[in-house]
Amino acid sequence: MTDDYRRLADRIADDIARGRLQPGERLPPQRVFARRRGIAGSTAGRVYAELVRRGLVVGEAGRGTFVRAAPEGPGERALVEAATAAPVNLELNYPSAPGQSELLAPALAPLLRPDVLTEALRPAAVTGTPEARQAAAALLATPGWRPAP
């Protein structure tokens, strides 16, 4: 049935609501979850995606899926929008502005030189580059106040 994954998601949501799964607790990897329940890996993926959509869990690449912390009280705000809000999927990144590729190409062209690419890939100091500090100071500036780079 196509709604089986929703029923599984409902069960996990109930476990979270009842405190059987605590904030910060790691869910099993999807393949383990699928094996334990005798379901396909794609169904397990849909269950986890549904839990993310509801704002109950958060996935961290390379670390796993964790129960999301709930707000402390009625006055507290969660770090996510309500589950009823349309989800924002940042998993895939595509150029979003017309002509973006043409605009980026001249800026990326110097990286074709090995000496420039080597310098660009070198680890940056903790303090960042002078240019990065200038840019950050400009972004943080407000009327009447500008931080020193």
Side-chain angles (χ1 to χ4, degrees):
M1 297 187 110
T2 58
D3 289 331
D4 286 345
Y5 78 95
R6 285 194 187 105
R7 280 195 283 280
L8 284 170
D10 289 342
R11 285 190 212 146
I12 295 170
D14 186 58
D15 286 345
I16 293 170
R18 294 178 185 271
R20 290 188 290 261
L21 289 172
Q22 295 291 312
E25 192 170 335
R26 185 175 186 258
L27 298 181
Q30 290 181 26
R31 68 182 178 284
V32 173
F33 180 85
R35 194 175 323 117
R36 286 180 184 166
R37 287 171 175 70
I39 59 175
S42 60
T43 302
R46 291 179 80 184
V47 171
Y48 279 42
E50 178 67 15
L51 294 169
V52 168
R53 187 193 69 74
R54 294 181 190 184
L56 298 173
V57 300
V58 60
E60 296 180 22
R63 291 195 58 223
T65 303
F66 298 85
V67 175
R68 174 168 255 136
E72 292 297 319
E76 298 291 320
R77 290 183 43 160
L79 296 176
V80 297
E81 295 178 5
T84 57
V88 177
N89 183 346
L90 300 176
E91 186 173 352
L92 301 175
N93 185 0
Y94 297 104
S96 57
Q100 181 172 320
S101 297
E102 291 78 11
L103 293 170
L104 284 172
L108 296 175
L111 293 176
L112 295 174
R113 289 186 24 213
D115 60 321
V116 175
L117 183 58
T118 298
E119 189 60 32
L121 295 176
R122 190 178 315 273
V126 173
T127 57
T129 64
E131 295 83 5
R133 290 193 305 273
Q134 288 285 346
L139 284 171
L140 295 171
T142 60
W145 181 76
R146 180 178 171 91

